[in-house]
Structures are given as structure tokens and as C-alpha cells.
Amino acid sequence: MDTAQGQRRRGPGTLTAFARFVLCGGGVGLASSFAVPVTASWMPWILANALITAASTLLATELHARFTFGAGRHANLRQHTQSAGSAVAAYAVTCAAMLALHQLVAAPGATLEQAVYLSASALAGVARFAVLRLVVFARQHARAAPADHAAADRLTALPRPRQSGGPAAVGAAALCRTA
């Protein structure tokens, strides 16, 4: 039971989190690819794309906060902002890759374009996963883990050496008040 609680506090392992990241991000991306043309039937395509991209980034961040990285709660404003920043960076990587392709190859075929775009997307996705796991949602795991009071009690129960003529060892509660 302690192992299951500890696993819940720490969040899923890297491979599990990555699989969830691909599932959530891919699912939202797939839904977005259908939503943009539908929305574009009511407004200009560029506006529809911007709207769906913003909405899908918000949705994916919520899914990543609740499911992918095991937080089980809403993403806060900082996490949404950092996630949006990582999405913009991923977009820049794919644009730069396509721009470089068109600078290097005068008339690339559709297969080459897809290969370059998908490769850049995969690279950006792996980098985005690392940023989300190590930066955006990392602090939340530390805050979400409850204090191990039993371990603190064991530490304060250990005999402490006295300095000659000095006061008795200070307990953990007193140290916490001074910190």
C-alpha cells in the first residue's frame, strides 16, 4: 500500500508519462485537425486556426496536468503560460525546419515535406515533453507530496549529542519555527 501511495505522489514513470503525453497530445491534435476546417466555415481560416490552436493548447495542458503527469488537479496560470510557451517554441521549430527545407531544396515533393515536418514535430514533441515534465509540472509534484511525518518523528527521536555546557538539542518543531 505504501508503494502505491508513493507512486501516486511521485507521479507516473517516464515511459508511462510519455505514452500518456502522446495519447493526450495526439488526441487533441487529431481533434484540432478536424475542428479547424469546421470552424473555418464560419470565419477566416487564419482566425479559426488561431482559435483552435489556443483552445487545444489549453485543453492539452489540462489533460497533461490531470492525467499525463499525475497531478490530478487543474493546471495553474503559470503552468498554462509555460505550456503555451513550449507550444510556441515547438511551432517555431517546425516552421524553421520547413523554411530550411525550402532553402535547401528548390521544389521538395510532398513526401519529403511530410518527412521533414513529421521529424521536426517529433523532435519538438520530445523536447516539449521534457520541458513539461522537468519544468512545468515538476514543482507541482514536490508540493503535492505530503510531508512524511513518521520520518520526521524518527529523526527527532534520535539521541543528539550535547555540547559541553550548551543547551539541549533543539527539536524539529523549534527548528521549523526559526526557519
Side-chain angles (χ1 to χ4, degrees):
M1 175 119 171
D2 287 336
T3 305
Q5 286 176 342
Q7 186 69 3
R8 220 175 310 134
R9 278 185 286 215
R10 282 191 305 266
T14 302
L15 291 177
T16 300
F18 187 73
R20 291 175 179 180
F21 177 80
V22 170
L23 180 69
C24 291
V28 169
L30 186 61
S32 296
S33 71
F34 289 108
V36 170
V38 170
T39 308
S41 67
W42 301 318
M43 61 181 69
W45 186 89
I46 197 159
L47 183 59
N49 188 35
L51 180 68
I52 297 301
T53 298
S56 66
T57 300
L58 287 171
L59 175 61
T61 301
E62 280 297 320
L63 289 172
H64 293 322
R66 292 178 185 208
F67 180 67
T68 303
F69 299 107
R73 59 179 104 158
H74 291 291
N76 60 36
L77 181 60
R78 176 191 61 81
Q79 292 165 330
H80 276 291
T81 303
Q82 290 176 330
S83 179
S86 71
V88 168
Y91 177 76
V93 166
T94 57
C95 287
M98 294 307 289
L99 189 66
L101 173 65
H102 285 277
Q103 291 296 317
L104 295 172
V105 179
T111 304
L112 181 58
E113 283 183 332
Q114 274 298 79
V116 168
Y117 178 78
L118 292 174
S119 297
S121 292
L123 178 65
V126 169
R128 187 161 187 257
F129 170 78
V131 167
L132 292 177
R133 181 165 173 91
L134 299 174
V135 177
V136 176
F137 295 104
R139 290 187 203 135
Q140 185 167 350
H141 291 309
R143 271 187 253 137
D148 186 0
H149 295 293
D153 290 344
R154 284 191 302 273
L155 288 175
T156 58
L158 294 175
R160 298 178 190 244
R162 288 180 164 240
Q163 294 178 347
S164 61
V170 177
L175 287 175
C176 290
R177 283 193 301 271
T178 60

